[in-house]
Amino acid sequence: MFDALSDRLERLGASLRSRGRLSDADLDAALDEVRTALLEADVELSVVRAFLAAVRARLAGTALATSLSPGQQVIKAVHEQLIEVLGASPLKVTYSSRPPTVILLAGLQGAGKTTAAAKLAQWFKQQGRQPYLVAADLQRPAAVEQLRVLGASIGVDVFSEASDPVAVSREGVERARSLGRDVVIVDTAGRLALDEALMAEVRAISEVTSPHYTFLVIDAVTGQDAVHTARAFHDALSLSGLIVTKLDYDARGGAVLSARGVVGRPVVFASTGEKVGDFELFHPDRIASRILGMGDALSLIERAEATMDADVVANSASRLMSGQFTLDDFLAQLNQVRKMGSFGGLMKLMPGVTKEMRNAASNVDERELNKIEAIIQSMTPRERRDPNLLDASRRTRIAAGSGTTVNAVNQLLKQFTEMKKMMRQMAGGGMPNLPGKLGRAAQMAARADRGRELPAGFESLGAGLRAAAPSGPKNKKKKGGRVTPPKQR
Amino acid sequence: MTIAIIIIAVLVVVLVGVAVVRTRTRARAQLPVPVAPLPEVLVETEAPRPSLEEPGSLRQRLATSRGVFDRLRSITGDTLSSEQRDVVEEVLLRSDIGVATTKAVLDQIDAGIPLGVAGEVRRVLLEFLDRDRDVRIVGDPGRVPVWLFVGVNGVGKTTTIGKLAQLHADEGRHVVLAAGDTFRAAAAEQLAQWAERANADIVRAAEGADPGSVIHDALGRAAARRADIVLADTAGRRANNSNLLDELRKVRRVADREPGQVVETLLVLDATTGQNALSQAREFLAAAEVTGIVLTKLDGTARGGIVVAIERELGIPVKYVGVGERVEDLRVFEPEAFVDSLLAT
């Protein structure tokens, strides 16, 4: 639905391309596209304006680097400015010398405060702390119950009492102190920014607990209203930072920039899924790429790092490049990938993946994967090493053994062979000459080659730019191609 | 096709793996940096960061922009000054109506403004919102009508159902509630409180039970007791997770089987939601054949303009709006009142 900013700028086309520096008119046209991209990402209008002024200042009069197209130069400036505004370095959470460190969570109804409270507790636990949860949301039916259930699931005690929220908060902090807990997280009632009574309540809670940190929990899908919310809570509570939730939705998350823009406080944590573990420190560069629609390769790499077995991967990767990749290797890889999560989720993080591919991937049924696994496991070890052995009778046997059809077996083998061929060509540095669907990915490689002209320091940006282009996941492969040669030696 | 996708994805991940290995190797090569222990005091570690706020507070700016729009109300004439046009654009964008719909409105008023700027904008918006909003409350003979509620997490589905149960009960209908949100801790509990208040029957199951079976049981009870309508809750789900949407498809199939008949599938949307609401609507339309929208939380500062874009692009009518916590704050959607509040100060 949304076009990546880079596409828009590409479309501005030759008029920008041919000149040595951006004229005012060029700049206007380019910034107009930036404006649309930001608005489509739900960045609030005044924040957009101020942001554009800053980008203009960054770009005005600068000579165009020969290695970047003017469009790329604009994106670079926008990207840098986004990262600067979102916070060059995250707020470091430190701990009070007189424990407990008190953290107050506030936010609108439905932003995900209660869940965020539990996730935050889990995070502190992982840091070796002993967190304690206080359920001061007595407004929503069953909010206390929800926090209890979540607390039990992560092994963190929850304090609650059927009195009034202010008393609960005060006693909760007291209790934590007497229990020797070093972090207390107070979950308050969700409210509408306009609700004076509830605002007064959260202010009273803030007074009796004197929190070291006050975080506003804000929903990534929020629209223009994010500024009102952030402003109202900042006025009432003097926020120390933001926690952004629902980043697993496909929203661009411009609300983060809006809220950050008006309260001038950093985003500290990001919640990225329904599981309690889906919670991490916020990375400005990632949301910057996301607002511009450029994928999130870093998160992908991090997830890979956390779940994949490096030796297995390195082994089969070098085999892949040298063309000795077997079905056994493929099976091992498939299992590695399955450990990382759903295909759809992975593809979303992958820069440079088209919407169609993304949709196709998110529709991949886990059962399909089981089928592939069954097919390969129905082969003898020798067959897996050398698929050429597979004649009609062996294929029939495999189909029967795996509970699939000969057709499915054929398809798998055909795709596997094609992919192997492609990888070999890429490892050889040649332009792969690919059939059908994969052909588009090859065109991408050609584009990606342009990235080579980038000066060394721009490598990561180059990746981002290429990522923004609509095409197959080829840029990743390219990266692999560059990495592998030393390994072969 | 599917296999191709899988193979590509696996490959890509392998290569990411290579990148990871390389990073690790490089990290190992670096000299070990002594890690300073975290100071056990609270220090302010924030560096000053550039503010995005324009000179003159944002609130003032918002106030003035709306004031300007008021002044425009009285202006009539054939053409639009560029300043007036900017103000219109600003008001529309601020309501979350979206870039595309804003452009569509501007294109129309560029053609002429016989009704004055405000009047013309109003006319165009009402044109986008011109559709049938009747709700269906009876099924085919012998079938129990079912209203199915869908939406993402935290938009107020359960509360909406509770209020509608009350409204139906007030109109003399016998309501059965199906607590199909078996995922969220305590969702059934919340619905039970509403059921008690509205004197409605409720069918619930243990947390983690199959939502389809809850709805099936509710239909059985409704048929046995000759209930007039079943309101079925579902768990909140991300609109971009196909497994969850498949589950929803199944729930809908169950609800639509004899003796049940799904006569309305209502998507509950939070008015504070921005452009993502459009993709939510698109996904839920495809998965659950959404017949209408309930727009909640309109009592805040958010205007919920995105529903104009949804009506325009997907043709799903808004049927109810929630403007407060009380039962009577759930109202039938009226386009004129909505557009007026969209454009009001």
Side-chain angles (χ1 to χ4, degrees):
Chain A
M1 168 178 35
F2 299 123
D3 296 329
L5 177 59
S6 58
D7 291 350
R8 298 174 172 285
L9 291 170
E10 287 294 317
R11 252 178 276 138
L12 278 180
S15 65
L16 286 183
R17 195 167 299 277
S18 53
R19 313 199 187 134
R21 67 176 56 224
L22 286 173
S23 71
D24 279 353
D26 289 343
L27 197 53
D28 285 345
L31 288 180
D32 210 45
E33 295 295 342
V34 176
R35 177 176 184 269
T36 306
L38 293 174
L39 285 170
E40 278 184 350
D42 284 324
V43 182
E44 201 270 342
L45 191 59
S46 357
V47 175
V48 170
R49 285 200 190 115
F51 184 84
L52 289 180
V55 172
R56 183 182 286 274
R58 217 174 243 276
L59 281 170
T62 46
L64 289 178
T66 47
S67 56
L68 293 178
S69 76
Q72 288 171 333
Q73 192 128 346
V74 172
I75 293 183
K76 174 167 169 281
V78 171
H79 200 254
E80 284 173 359
Q81 183 67 25
L82 274 174
I83 290 174
E84 191 181 323
V85 172
L86 287 169
S89 58
L91 170 86
K92 264 198 218 105
V93 177
T94 54
Y95 301 93
S96 167
S97 57
R98 249 173 288 137
T101 303
V102 180
I103 294 168
L104 185 68
L105 297 187
L108 293 186
Q109 290 167 358
K113 272 181 310 303
T114 304
T115 311
K119 289 178 172 182
L120 191 59
Q122 164 89 344
W123 187 85
F124 278 116
K125 218 176 153 192
Q126 282 164 356
Q127 307 295 307
R129 300 280 152 179
Q130 293 169 311
Y132 193 60
L133 286 163
V134 176
D137 178 359
L138 306 181
Q139 193 75 22
R140 181 161 59 96
V144 175
E145 185 56 31
Q146 188 184 353
L147 194 60
R148 283 200 168 283
V149 172
L150 289 168
S153 76
I154 55 171
V156 173
D157 291 339
V158 178
F159 180 85
S160 66
E161 207 174 65
S163 55
D164 73 293
V166 180
V168 168
S169 310
R170 186 175 46 223
E171 282 158 31
V173 174
E174 282 309 316
R175 180 69 61 87
R177 187 168 290 132
S178 65
L179 289 173
R181 304 304 168 85
D182 47 14
V183 178
V184 184
I185 299 160
V186 183
D187 176 31
T188 65
R191 56 208 73 224
L192 291 162
L194 287 184
D195 189 331
E196 270 309 319
L198 280 170
M199 271 308 197
E201 177 192 300
V202 74
R203 230 175 353 236
I205 292 177
S206 177
E207 268 160 34
V208 299
T209 55
S210 36
H212 300 91
Y213 294 98
T214 304
F215 293 132
L216 172 66
V217 179
I218 192 161
D219 187 331
V221 303
T222 314
Q224 301 279 313
D225 196 48
V227 288
H228 289 111
T229 309
R231 153 85 48 203
F233 279 98
H234 192 44
D235 283 353
L237 298 171
S238 177
L239 302 171
S240 28
L242 308 169
I243 295 178
V244 54
T245 60
K246 304 191 190 171
L247 269 179
D248 52 329
Y249 284 53
D250 54 358
R252 287 275 172 85
V256 180
L257 184 67
S258 308
R260 169 70 188 75
V262 292
V263 302
R265 294 293 181 187
V267 185
V268 187
F269 293 100
S271 163
T272 53
E274 287 180 347
K275 283 187 230 127
V276 183
D278 296 333
F279 193 73
E280 54 188 25
L281 285 170
F282 176 75
H283 300 279
D285 46 338
R286 299 184 192 172
I287 195 88
S289 302
R290 187 176 174 134
I291 289 172
L292 298 179
M294 304 200 319
D296 188 354
L298 277 175
S299 291
L300 185 67
I301 289 176
E302 229 175 57
R303 206 188 287 185
E305 207 162 23
T307 52
M308 293 207 305
D309 184 332
D311 294 334
V312 175
V313 173
N315 239 329
S316 30
S318 61
R319 291 247 280 279
L320 179 62
M321 290 308 166
S322 54
Q324 294 161 354
F325 199 67
T326 66
L327 282 163
D328 261 331
D329 290 320
F330 178 73
L331 194 58
Q333 290 317 313
L334 185 64
N335 285 327
Q336 296 283 336
V337 173
R338 291 182 77 168
K339 272 200 278 179
M340 287 175 63
S342 73
F343 265 80
L346 291 180
M347 292 305 255
K348 195 154 63 257
L349 295 175
M350 199 98 60
V353 174
T354 57
K355 196 170 165 63
E356 301 88 69
M357 276 196 72
R358 211 169 283 172
N359 287 344
S362 68
N363 287 330
V364 169
D365 196 321
E366 289 293 308
R367 277 167 299 191
E368 291 287 335
L369 305 184
N370 291 338
K371 248 188 244 165
I372 292 180
E373 217 176 309
I375 292 176
I376 298 180
Q377 280 169 344
S378 300
M379 298 177 187
T380 66
R382 225 178 109 213
E383 286 167 345
R384 292 186 215 176
R385 277 194 301 273
D386 184 8
N388 292 331
L389 285 175
L390 294 169
D391 55 23
S393 113
R394 284 177 190 254
R395 289 180 192 213
T396 316
R397 187 202 81 231
I398 291 164
S402 59
T404 56
T405 60
V406 175
N407 197 11
V409 177
N410 288 342
Q411 225 185 338
L412 173 67
L413 290 171
K414 194 171 143 235
Q415 296 287 356
F416 181 75
T417 320
E418 262 177 26
M419 155 202 107
K420 244 176 94 171
K421 218 186 301 165
M422 177 177 94
M423 293 319 287
R424 219 168 348 191
Q425 277 166 332
M426 282 203 331
M431 256 297 293
N433 179 19
L434 298 168
K437 255 193 78 65
L438 297 177
R440 253 223 321 232
Q443 294 169 359
M444 172 61 182
R447 281 216 215 177
D449 269 342
R450 262 194 267 144
R452 274 214 182 124
E453 302 159 16
L454 297 179
F458 286 174
E459 213 175 53
S460 61
L461 172 72
L465 295 174
R466 274 173 270 139
S471 49
K474 191 49 97 27
N475 52 327
K476 275 278 164 262
K477 292 173 188 163
K478 265 212 49 113
K479 206 187 252 173
R482 258 180 287 173
V483 179
T484 320
K487 272 196 175 26
Q488 284 173 308
R489 260 174 249 137
Chain B
M1 162 70 187
T2 314
I3 294 181
I5 295 281
I6 293 174
I7 293 184
I8 290 175
V10 169
L11 271 180
V12 169
V13 172
V14 171
L15 291 155
V16 170
V18 177
V20 171
V21 171
R22 184 180 61 155
T23 325
R24 279 193 185 156
T25 322
R26 212 190 302 152
R28 246 179 267 134
Q30 278 167 356
L31 285 174
V33 181
V35 181
L38 269 180
E40 286 291 303
V41 282
L42 188 80
V43 229
E44 192 69 21
T45 46
E46 294 162 59
R49 293 197 176 76
S51 169
L52 270 187
E53 201 157 355
E54 290 175 289
S57 92
L58 176 80
R59 228 182 297 165
Q60 280 167 8
R61 287 194 49 86
L62 285 177
T64 42
S65 73
R66 287 179 187 158
V68 171
F69 195 76
D70 268 352
R71 262 180 279 139
L72 288 185
R73 280 176 187 286
S74 54
I75 302 175
T76 48
D78 296 338
T79 51
L80 197 64
S81 78
S82 75
E83 190 206 343
Q84 290 164 350
R85 198 175 186 278
D86 285 350
V87 174
V88 172
E89 186 187 25
E90 181 168 343
V91 170
L92 293 177
L93 287 174
R94 280 238 158 82
S95 76
D96 283 320
I97 207 169
V99 177
T101 307
T102 300
K103 218 164 252 164
V105 174
L106 288 175
D107 285 349
Q108 292 224 24
I109 63 172
D110 280 344
I113 43 169
L115 302 174
V117 181
E120 203 63 30
V121 172
R122 191 169 183 277
R123 182 190 65 76
V124 175
L125 289 176
L126 284 173
E127 211 175 277
F128 291 157
L129 294 175
D130 181 25
R131 61 191 79 243
D132 179 20
R133 297 174 199 283
D134 292 343
V135 288
R136 210 177 145 190
I137 48 173
V138 284
D140 296 342
R143 309 281 291 266
V144 181
V146 179
W147 284 15
L148 187 68
F149 294 81
V150 301
V152 303
N153 298 308
V155 291
K157 266 189 307 299
T158 307
T159 309
T160 300
I161 295 170
K163 290 177 182 173
L164 280 171
Q166 181 77 56
L167 291 176
H168 281 299
D170 289 349
E171 287 171 23
R173 282 181 211 106
H174 180 187
V175 182
V176 173
L177 299 178
D181 182 355
T182 52
F183 182 81
R184 181 161 65 95
E189 188 48 46
Q190 193 181 339
L191 200 60
Q193 292 176 10
W194 281 105
E196 198 173 322
R197 221 196 284 184
N199 208 8
D201 278 331
I202 178 165
V203 174
R204 51 190 287 194
E207 208 175 298
D210 173 35
S213 78
V214 177
I215 287 170
H216 178 81
D217 290 353
L219 287 175
R221 182 174 313 179
R225 301 200 177 174
R226 304 187 170 280
D228 297 306
I229 194 162
V230 173
L231 305 183
D233 197 5
T234 61
R237 60 202 72 221
R238 272 179 13 229
N240 55 343
N241 183 320
S242 61
N243 288 342
L244 289 176
L245 290 178
D246 281 348
E247 184 192 291
L248 185 61
R249 237 172 240 131
K250 185 190 147 201
V251 167
R252 193 187 186 285
R253 267 201 312 276
V254 172
D256 207 27
R257 206 174 289 154
E258 300 251 15
Q261 181 186 12
V262 177
V263 292
E264 292 284 345
T265 303
L266 297 171
L267 170 66
V268 184
L269 273 183
D270 180 333
T272 60
T273 310
Q275 303 308 300
N276 186 244
L278 199 53
S279 62
Q280 288 175 22
R282 197 172 281 129
E283 300 293 340
F284 280 107
L285 181 63
E289 300 163 47
V290 172
T291 57
I293 286 172
V294 180
L295 186 64
T296 60
K297 307 188 196 175
L298 259 184
D299 46 336
T301 40
R303 301 187 169 215
I306 189 65
V307 296
V308 180
I310 294 175
E311 292 216 357
R312 195 173 83 92
E313 288 182 33
L314 303 175
I316 310 172
V318 182
K319 298 199 166 165
Y320 293 97
V321 291
V323 295
E325 313 222 324
R326 295 166 308 164
V327 171
E328 57 271 31
D329 291 333
L330 187 72
R331 300 185 187 158
V332 171
F333 177 77
E334 286 165 9
E336 306 215 336
F338 177 77
V339 167
D340 285 342
S341 87
L342 209 65
L343 302 177
T345 50

